[in-house]
Amino acid sequence: MKITSIKSHVLRYELEKELGYSQQYYKHRTAHLVEVQTDDGITGWGECFGPGNIALANKFIVEKVIQPLILGEDPLNKEHIWQKVYNLLRDSGQKGMPIQALSGIDIALWDILGKKTSAPLYQLLGGKCNNDVPVYGYGMMLQKKSADELIDLFKEESKQIKSKNFKAMKMKVGLGPKEDLKLVQAVRDSIGKDFKLMVDANHAYNLKDALYVGKGLDELGIYWFEEPVAPEDYEGYRELKQKINTSIAGGEAEFTKYGWNKLISNKCIDIAQPEVCGLGGITEYLKVAALAQANFIPVINHVWGSAISIAVNLHLLTAQPDMPGGLFPSKSMLEFDTTEKNIFITDLPKEEFSILDQVKNNNGFASVTENIGIGINPDENFIKEFEVNE
Ligand SMILES: [Mg+2]
């Protein structure tokens, strides 16, 4: 079998209302799909992390930089292809967009392997460790409102997420240390003291502010404090982890086993959040997961994007053993978008795919299908309707 073409599809639509996190507001939702075609008729699908115009830059890297390097290769030689591409891009991009671009291609190669062998992805990853996976809802994004208005919105939104049966929920912060603690306090009061609540700063703070917020979160029984400081600030992460009781989570902006090795060996995090569509694809994710396992760090994947990304993550978590295991182990969770209807999740696949229904009907759990490969194939007409080139 040979790779005959690699195409990128950047999809975009305008949101009804602008949403934000600590770094920016955004009014469009994007997804970047990768389609790898072969000479025996099998097409594999993957997805690259990278929102907004980053997706357009990654499309160029996929089609114009990486495609010429691997046309004609056997798509089943995933390891060889990964190493070849990484080695040739190494001098120009060991992190960031080149690796995001490579991720989408690698994921598509795993989809091809599944289709070639008629096996669902989780079987290729070692089989089932879990019949189903608990799901947490992320929402409570920032909006261009006053802090008081946001408090009222978050109180209401947190109640809604809880009512949908999610096992836990995650909120954004980023208004400033004092306002952020007020916001978290309001959500905690709204959902009660026993519901799992996570707080995501998207690296909004310097170390001093992160320590202040972290100490406040310790009082509020927060399950994890996500990306408190800049991803390059390994020292800051380590100091924070030593001084704060709340678990420190991070890694969505870390790349490859080389970056992850630094994050883990510097003792920066209590919870690892690898982003499979960004860090180098499934081939590299498995190595990162092994690093985390060897250091007894729980892995709770960062999930962002379309139904393809969500399905890939559900397969990965289905095949992930508990760490360290036991009769009542602490389980990993699938992250899921609860913000305004995301049609890249609901309307993109040809297959039946509803995490929300599963969560509602199965007490907060979701499970993989037995469809071969990733199990999600995008509708061509849907792609045509939402595809953009600039
Ligand atoms: Mg995050």
Side-chain angles (χ1 to χ4, degrees):
M1 189 164 34
K2 285 190 169 67
I3 296 173
T4 53
S5 90
I6 303 178
K7 286 186 206 142
S8 250
H9 305 279
V10 176
L11 313 182
R12 184 168 66 208
Y13 72 95
E14 191 168 341
L15 293 166
E16 273 173 28
K17 61 175 183 237
E18 218 171 18
L19 296 175
Y21 56 101
S22 66
Q23 305 301 324
Q24 63 181 334
Y25 297 102
Y26 58 94
K27 59 175 186 286
H28 291 95
R29 188 167 263 148
T30 43
H32 176 190
L33 312 184
V34 177
E35 178 182 11
V36 177
Q37 292 177 334
T38 63
D39 62 352
D40 79 350
I42 294 176
T43 296
W45 288 94
E47 180 162 359
C48 304
F49 179 78
N53 292 335
I54 305 289
L56 292 168
N58 281 339
K59 174 183 169 74
F60 192 91
I61 298 174
V62 167
E63 293 182 344
K64 302 286 201 267
V65 181
I66 301 180
Q67 176 173 230
L69 302 177
I70 60 174
L71 274 183
E73 293 276 4
D74 183 337
L76 303 188
N77 293 336
K78 304 182 299 305
E79 187 71 35
H80 162 71
I81 289 172
W82 198 98
Q83 295 298 335
K84 179 178 179 181
V85 173
Y86 183 80
N87 194 46
L88 290 168
L89 298 183
R90 181 177 251 145
D91 295 7
S92 306
Q94 297 148 19
K95 294 192 174 198
M97 292 191 287
I99 306 301
Q100 292 170 342
L102 173 56
S103 302
I105 294 172
D106 178 78
I107 291 168
L109 301 185
W110 281 85
D111 192 34
I112 290 169
L113 174 62
K115 286 166 175 167
K116 177 77 180 171
T117 57
S118 296
L121 177 59
Y122 76 83
Q123 282 184 355
L124 307 176
L125 301 171
K128 272 188 191 177
C129 286
N130 305 291
N131 286 322
D132 49 20
V133 175
V135 185
Y136 81 84
Y138 84 81
M140 293 177 275
M141 309 292 289
L142 301 186
Q143 295 179 43
K144 283 184 185 159
K145 310 259 183 196
S146 72
D148 285 342
E149 287 173 307
L150 218 46
I151 281 179
D152 289 338
L153 284 170
F154 276 29
K155 277 178 166 170
E156 184 51 39
E157 196 175 336
S158 58
K159 278 190 190 134
Q160 278 179 25
I161 296 172
K162 192 176 172 184
S163 74
K164 288 175 182 158
N165 261 358
F166 285 100
K167 287 291 186 194
M169 70 177 79
K170 187 164 84 186
M171 62 182 288
K172 295 293 187 191
V173 288
L175 306 177
K178 285 208 164 73
E179 298 298 340
D180 287 341
L181 283 179
K182 280 189 210 161
L183 206 52
V184 180
Q185 174 85 59
V187 172
R188 173 51 85 207
D189 291 345
S190 168
I191 59 175
K193 68 176 174 39
D194 294 329
F195 198 84
K196 268 185 191 165
L197 173 63
M198 293 83 85
V199 172
D200 187 359
N202 294 97
H203 45 81
Y205 308 125
N206 57 36
L207 176 60
K208 199 166 180 201
D209 287 346
L211 280 165
Y212 172 85
V213 173
K215 287 190 171 138
L217 298 184
D218 283 349
E219 305 297 312
L220 292 167
I222 298 307
Y223 193 57
W224 76 61
F225 186 14
E226 177 168 330
E227 282 204 301
V229 295
E232 309 93 312
D233 188 6
Y234 298 109
E235 291 282 319
Y237 261 105
R238 182 162 55 186
E239 190 171 337
L240 200 59
K241 184 169 129 49
Q242 284 165 354
K243 292 185 175 166
I244 300 296
N245 293 327
T246 304
S247 289
I248 303 298
E252 68 182 80
E254 194 55 85
F255 297 86
T256 75
K257 57 187 162 292
Y258 306 113
W260 273 92
N261 188 38
K262 253 185 141 175
L263 192 67
I264 288 174
S265 62
N266 278 297
K267 302 196 182 318
C268 295
I269 49 171
D270 298 295
I271 292 168
Q273 298 178 297
E275 167 53 70
V276 66
C277 300
L279 68 78
I282 295 169
T283 299
E284 199 67 352
Y285 170 95
L286 295 174
K287 293 170 184 173
V288 168
L291 264 177
Q293 280 179 19
N295 288 276
F296 301 97
I297 296 175
V299 175
I300 305 183
N301 298 351
H302 177 262
V303 184
W304 181 92
S306 81
I308 291 180
S309 153
I310 291 165
V312 168
N313 277 287
L314 193 48
H315 282 286
L316 291 171
L317 295 173
T318 297
Q320 182 186 290
D322 300 324
M323 283 184 284
L327 276 176
F328 305 102
S330 171
K331 304 296 280 187
S332 187
M333 296 187 282
L334 176 72
E335 176 171 15
F336 190 77
D337 180 5
T338 68
T339 61
E340 105 178 30
K341 182 176 159 74
N342 185 340
I343 58 172
F344 294 156
I345 299 173
T346 53
D347 297 7
L348 173 136
K350 285 184 195 158
E351 296 78 6
E352 192 64 36
F353 186 72
S354 178
I355 299 289
L356 269 181
D357 287 347
Q358 287 199 58
V359 167
K360 191 172 161 216
N361 300 325
N362 301 325
N363 192 29
F365 286 83
S367 51
V368 289
T369 67
E370 296 299 315
N371 296 343
I372 59 172
I374 294 166
I376 297 288
N377 292 282
D379 184 297
E380 294 84 1
N381 291 325
F382 184 92
I383 288 181
K384 273 189 204 134
E385 193 178 343
F386 292 98
E387 185 155 18
V388 293
N389 287 299
E390 59 183 40

